[in-house]
Amino acid sequence: MKAKKKPVNKVAQRQAERQQQEKRMKRVIWITGACIVVLVALLLFLKPGSTTKENFDYSSMPVLGNPEAPIKIVEMGDYKCPSCQYFTQGVLPNLKKDFIDTGKVALYSMNYLIISPEADSNTAALAAMSVFHQNKDEFWKYNEAIFKNQGDETKEWATPDFLVNLARTENIKVDYDKLRKDIDEKTYQKEIDSQNKTAVDLHVMSTPTLFINGEKAEDQAPMDYNVLKPIIEKKLAK
């Protein structure tokens, strides 16, 4: 005699199926939500024109102009770099006339040694930092004098003797014996190394490079005032 089959509890079966369906729906909703979050994050990261701003320690750098100016430009430069010489002599005068002297822009100087980091570039930076720490008002005069007397990129010229004699010739108002001592003892090497590290961390590949209110400017900006000027005007308009 065959055993009787137990009657199927259809109510319990439907409840079990409904619970399974709810679990699947929750899983789908959770996965979909996670995908949306990832997609939004990617869109924000890859959004055209989006940039990461660098928070520079402006108070530690030489500044030309009013530190309270709405536009702050950091020039990363090398005293042995011919392009940096061009920026100082060919672009800076117009920048100064149109924006710095009118209180709209403050220009900051940061060392980035790429030509001869173990020799001339570093020696010139040490001398400039010594002048800055001795007499901040004389820094830009000395900065201009170094570029005006810049030697051949392939030869050694920025020696301690040259740099001290240049300060004397240009009547830079500092203690020349201290200037020589600061160069020889590398008094401000840590500051220069810190500035170099900042440039490397920001993946800066050349000098001069400009950061305008913390954002890297176009590569052409330091070499072409017609490129730089509209960038500044656009930021001022904001």
Side-chain angles (χ1 to χ4, degrees):
M1 185 175 179
K2 294 182 179 180
K4 292 182 179 180
K5 293 182 179 179
K6 291 182 179 181
V8 177
N9 189 334
K10 292 184 177 181
V11 174
Q13 185 179 18
R14 283 197 294 271
Q15 287 178 343
E17 290 174 351
R18 189 161 49 247
Q19 289 174 352
Q20 289 296 324
Q21 187 176 12
E22 288 176 353
K23 288 181 180 178
R24 285 195 295 270
M25 286 300 296
K26 287 180 180 179
R27 189 179 300 113
V28 169
I29 291 171
W30 186 90
I31 293 173
T32 303
C35 290
I36 291 172
V37 170
V38 172
L39 181 60
V40 170
L42 285 172
L43 288 173
L44 289 173
F45 180 76
L46 298 174
K47 182 181 178 182
S50 63
T51 49
T52 300
K53 287 190 176 183
E54 170 63 20
N55 294 318
F56 291 102
D57 181 11
Y58 294 106
S59 63
S60 68
M61 293 182 281
V63 57
L64 181 63
N66 182 3
E68 302 300 322
I71 304 296
K72 300 183 190 306
I73 300 179
V74 174
E75 180 220 349
M76 294 184 176
D78 183 328
Y79 284 109
K80 201 168 183 177
C81 167
S83 296
C84 296
Q85 180 192 55
Y86 178 80
F87 172 78
T88 299
Q89 297 179 341
V91 176
L92 180 53
N94 289 321
L95 178 64
K96 187 174 184 299
K97 176 174 64 72
D98 293 341
F99 296 106
I100 297 176
D101 290 347
T102 57
K104 298 174 183 176
V105 167
L107 177 66
Y108 295 81
S109 175
M110 176 179 283
N111 293 292
Y112 183 31
L113 316 182
I114 62 172
I115 305 296
S116 57
E118 302 299 327
D120 282 18
S121 298
N122 193 62
T123 309
L126 287 167
M129 293 305 291
S130 175
V131 169
F132 169 64
H133 283 285
Q134 287 196 58
N135 188 342
K136 291 179 173 58
D137 293 336
E138 292 292 277
F139 171 82
W140 290 100
K141 182 180 176 182
Y142 189 57
N143 179 79
E144 182 179 357
I146 295 176
F147 282 119
K148 182 179 178 182
N149 292 274
Q150 186 186 72
D152 192 308
E153 181 183 357
T154 64
K155 298 178 181 178
E156 183 178 356
W157 54 268
T159 63
D161 286 340
F162 170 84
L163 293 162
V164 174
N165 288 335
L166 179 63
R168 290 180 186 274
T169 302
E170 296 293 328
N171 194 30
I172 304 299
K173 296 177 177 60
V174 294
D175 183 326
Y176 304 121
D177 291 335
K178 188 178 188 310
L179 173 59
R180 179 59 188 246
K181 182 179 180 182
D182 285 342
I183 296 172
D184 291 342
E185 297 183 358
K186 299 186 176 182
T187 304
Y188 300 105
Q189 188 65 57
K190 287 184 179 180
E191 287 187 34
I192 295 169
D193 291 343
S194 177
Q195 292 178 355
N196 275 319
K197 184 179 184 302
T198 296
V200 171
D201 290 345
L202 291 171
H203 307 291
V204 176
M205 303 299 292
S206 63
T207 54
T209 290
L210 301 182
F211 280 80
I212 305 177
N213 282 359
E215 297 178 354
K216 185 178 179 296
E218 296 177 29
D219 291 340
Q220 302 96 322
M223 305 305 294
D224 188 344
Y225 188 63
N226 291 324
V227 174
L228 177 59
K229 184 178 181 180
I231 296 174
I232 297 172
E233 290 175 335
K234 185 176 180 180
K235 289 186 179 295
L236 283 170
K238 292 181 180 180

